[in-house]
Amino acid sequence: MLFTKIFKKQAASIRGSIHDLKQPNSPLAEIPILMYLASMSPIKYDALYKKFFTHPAMIEALMRDFVPTSLVEEIDFSTLRRLPQEHIGRDYRKKLNDIVWQLDLRGNPCYIIIMLEFQRKNDRWMALRLLTYIALLWDNMLREGRIQAETGLPPVFPIVIYNGKKSWNAPLDIKSLLPPCPPILSEFQASLRYFLIDELRVPDEQLKSRDNLASLFFFLQRCNLLESGDELRRLERILNHPGFRELTRTFAEWICHAAYEAGITETVERFDNIREVNAMLLENAPNWKYEYIAIGREEGREEGRELGREEGREVGREEGREEALETTRIDLREMLHSMIHEKFGPTTTKIYEKLSGIYDIKDLCGLAKKVPSIASPDKLNEIMDEIISRKKSL
């Protein structure tokens, strides 16, 4: 049973969730994408999340949206280059979720270290870990001859991205980990501070107001799969660039994993663009919506159950199914209208009326897949007429 599978996952220890589940039968519409992804094995979840920050476009978006402008203005993002995994000792790397990028700051090399924290608890010693990490990075570069005496050590900007449920309250600098010491010793103590992005504490309004890949990525994790259509269309528009093909596949893989963990699909499907992902969600959503609506209605019919009125439960199931199907039809028509407008310009009233006359979910999904390759509005009208006439003849 689909919901047995889902509720077992909800009851399990879920790392990095946005909301505690109040009851095992909480409406699925309230469950964010992050919740389903966090129910994956830690290794898969960490690898999938980390993959986003191997794309230079995501690093630039992250810096532009969350790092002080005074620093960002000094960076040449065209020089972004990711360092290979072997930049520090293998034994130490096993303990870290790290990504290191090199770029030019005022014409000189600078390094961005991104630490991804998936733990539910704060890491009090993060500043110490980063200090050790940076020292190992410098030492490795020195041994490889990449640091010269006249240039000195290259600057490093450490970023910690945390998506745990509880607010991050670990010290942001190494000095806060030291006990009070005599003034004469203070100047001899190590100094390091890292930049924290406490992802789940960024307000929804701030993320929604920014047309940026990093903000949209963080916001999408808070959306539920049934109501993410607008955000996916925004994502599709931003990624509509030849240089974003690999990043598009990463987003598609991430959403498809969420759909699989939610039980919407039986396998993790593969897509090359976000439009296909959105169509897949809309195509598979009716039965999924039907089940959670039917369960909700079932729970609300205590009197009917007590009296053994089976017909009351059947009416509830049927109402739930019809409500789910109609919602999906509306979503699909809105998506199609947007696609047609984007391809052919303002649509005529006639085309929109024809869309309203197509009721079959599979027909609407099939039309969505065809629109990108349709050459003209006349051809679109012809295809829609065929769909409508075929249904009338049945």
Side-chain angles (χ1 to χ4, degrees):
M1 180 72 178
L2 168 63
F3 278 78
T4 301
K5 172 184 174 185
I6 292 176
F7 295 148
K8 282 181 179 178
K9 288 179 179 175
Q10 293 171 3
S13 175
I14 299 178
R15 306 169 313 127
S17 60
I18 298 177
H19 304 292
D20 287 323
L21 292 179
K22 297 176 182 177
Q23 298 292 337
N25 59 354
S26 299
L28 295 187
E30 296 177 3
I31 300 176
I33 289 174
L34 180 62
M35 182 71 77
Y36 291 120
L37 289 167
S39 67
M40 299 166 63
S41 72
I43 294 175
K44 283 185 178 180
Y45 175 80
D46 293 2
L48 190 58
Y49 193 99
K50 184 175 179 179
K51 196 172 180 180
F52 281 97
F53 299 99
T54 63
H55 296 283
M58 280 296 288
I59 300 303
E60 181 175 352
L62 183 77
M63 298 284 286
R64 290 191 181 280
D65 253 12
F66 297 96
V67 173
T69 306
S70 56
L71 174 59
V72 172
E73 288 176 345
E74 303 289 343
I75 294 174
D76 180 0
F77 287 104
S78 68
T79 63
L80 270 171
R81 181 174 69 86
R82 187 161 64 96
L83 264 63
Q85 296 283 339
E86 296 76 22
H87 51 269
I88 64 170
R90 183 175 297 176
D91 290 341
Y92 192 70
R93 282 205 73 263
K94 289 179 181 177
K95 304 175 185 178
L96 304 171
N97 273 304
D98 68 294
I99 305 167
V100 179
W101 286 86
Q102 178 183 330
L103 47 72
D104 284 356
L105 180 71
R106 294 183 178 178
N108 297 309
C110 175
Y111 294 86
I112 300 173
I113 295 176
I114 296 179
M115 291 289 188
L116 304 173
E117 280 299 300
F118 307 110
Q119 306 173 101
R120 296 186 71 181
K121 296 181 179 180
N122 282 228
D123 183 349
R124 175 172 174 76
W125 307 107
M126 175 56 75
L128 176 60
R129 287 172 60 193
L130 278 163
L131 181 65
T132 306
Y133 187 99
I134 293 170
L136 287 169
L137 175 64
W138 281 335
D139 182 65
N140 189 60
M141 293 171 68
L142 187 63
R143 286 187 284 106
E144 292 178 352
R146 290 190 285 149
I147 295 178
Q148 306 301 322
E150 57 271 17
T151 57
L153 299 174
V156 175
F157 182 59
I159 302 175
V160 173
I161 301 176
Y162 170 67
N163 69 350
K165 181 172 60 177
K166 295 182 179 179
S167 296
W168 184 269
N169 55 23
L172 299 180
D173 58 79
I174 197 77
K175 287 188 176 180
S176 298
L177 295 173
L178 299 170
C181 60
I184 194 168
L185 284 178
S186 295
E187 62 181 295
F188 297 104
Q189 303 311 303
S191 176
L192 177 129
R193 184 177 182 85
Y194 60 88
F195 186 82
L196 174 69
I197 299 176
D198 193 346
E199 182 187 325
L200 301 185
R201 256 50 64 186
V202 181
D204 283 357
E205 296 73 22
Q206 181 179 329
L207 296 178
K208 290 174 72 174
S209 66
R210 296 174 175 175
D211 216 11
N212 176 292
L213 282 170
S215 291
L216 188 51
F217 170 58
F218 291 154
F219 184 69
L220 267 169
Q221 295 181 72
R222 307 178 188 188
C223 298
N224 63 72
L225 284 166
L226 295 182
E227 298 176 358
S228 59
D230 289 343
E231 283 68 34
L232 290 179
R233 284 189 283 274
R234 278 180 63 206
L235 179 62
E236 179 190 352
R237 178 175 53 77
I238 296 173
L239 292 173
N240 186 25
H241 186 281
F244 289 164
R245 283 200 183 95
E246 284 303 314
L247 182 55
T248 299
R249 291 191 184 101
T250 299
F251 267 104
E253 179 185 7
W254 176 70
I255 297 166
C256 287
H257 269 285
Y260 171 72
E261 294 297 328
I264 293 178
T265 57
E266 295 182 358
T267 60
V268 179
E269 300 190 34
R270 306 291 178 187
F271 295 103
D272 291 328
N273 63 68
I274 303 302
R275 182 169 293 172
E276 291 178 353
V277 174
N278 203 9
M280 175 273 292
L281 289 175
L282 289 169
E283 187 172 7
N284 285 279
N287 290 333
W288 196 65
K289 288 182 179 180
Y290 153 64
E291 289 210 32
Y292 91 75
I293 290 172
I295 287 176
R297 291 179 183 277
E298 181 82 7
E299 291 296 322
R301 287 176 166 75
E302 293 293 339
E303 183 180 353
R305 279 199 301 276
E306 290 170 5
L307 297 174
R309 296 190 305 192
E310 181 63 31
E311 66 275 13
R313 291 197 292 272
E314 288 301 321
V315 168
R317 292 191 185 99
E318 187 59 32
E319 288 176 359
R321 180 172 177 78
E322 286 305 315
E323 183 178 335
L325 287 170
E326 185 55 31
T327 301
T328 303
R329 288 187 193 102
I330 292 170
D331 289 344
L332 278 166
R333 288 180 187 128
E334 287 180 356
M335 182 182 76
L336 276 162
H337 191 258
S338 176
M339 291 169 66
I340 294 167
H341 183 277
E342 181 181 338
K343 188 172 178 66
F344 301 116
T347 57
T348 64
T349 304
K350 188 177 180 181
I351 287 180
Y352 199 71
E353 287 175 352
K354 286 183 180 178
L355 277 177
S356 301
I358 300 176
Y359 293 93
D360 192 283
I361 301 294
K362 289 184 178 179
D363 286 337
L364 289 166
C365 289
L367 186 58
K369 292 175 182 178
K370 290 178 181 178
V371 166
S373 60
I374 295 175
S376 67
D378 289 339
K379 184 61 178 177
L380 175 63
N381 269 311
E382 182 183 325
I383 292 172
M384 293 171 73
D385 286 338
E386 288 177 4
I387 294 172
I388 294 170
S389 61
R390 184 176 69 247
K391 291 300 177 182
K392 285 181 177 179
S393 65
L394 294 178

